[in-house]
Amino acid sequence: MALFLIAVVFFQGNISQIPALLADKHTFFYILLSGTAGALSWLFYFLALKYGKVSQVAPIDKLSVVLATLIAIFFLGEKVSLLGGIGIALIGLGALLVAIG
């Protein structure tokens, strides 16, 4: 993850900011935490695919959209329009219906 972020900074033309980015302990900790969470996410996803049906595992994976939106609403104070709320509810309902059906 750290190498990917360094590559992004390089391609954006901000190569001079890399030492400052890596020197900040909080930033580096969050980069490591993000990489660990991403790797674990993929490992558990493939483990679920190994033991479950793709038609059930994949829709449950898409509930992350709903979860991320709910976290943004409750903890970050984001506002969601009525149409957006309906869409989020439909994603959740659709994922559950496909997973149980």
Side-chain angles (χ1 to χ4, degrees):
M1 182 62 76
L3 293 175
F4 176 76
L5 291 175
I6 290 170
V8 169
V9 170
F10 176 78
F11 286 114
Q12 288 180 339
N14 297 323
I15 194 81
S16 63
Q17 295 181 6
I18 288 178
L21 187 77
L22 295 177
D24 182 11
K25 291 181 182 182
H26 283 98
T27 302
F28 194 70
F29 172 74
Y30 287 120
I31 291 170
L32 288 175
L33 192 62
S34 174
T36 303
L40 286 174
S41 168
W42 279 101
L43 287 173
F44 285 121
Y45 181 69
F46 287 117
L47 186 65
L49 288 174
K50 180 178 178 181
Y51 293 107
K53 297 177 184 178
V54 174
S55 61
Q56 292 176 323
V57 172
I60 296 301
D61 177 55
K62 299 308 168 212
L63 286 176
S64 63
V65 174
V66 177
L67 182 62
T69 305
L70 291 175
I71 289 171
I73 291 169
F74 291 115
F75 294 107
L76 302 176
E78 276 196 30
K79 303 292 181 200
V80 176
S81 68
L82 177 62
L83 191 59
I86 292 170
I88 293 162
L90 288 174
I91 291 171
L93 181 62
L96 292 175
L97 288 175
V98 171
I100 62 175

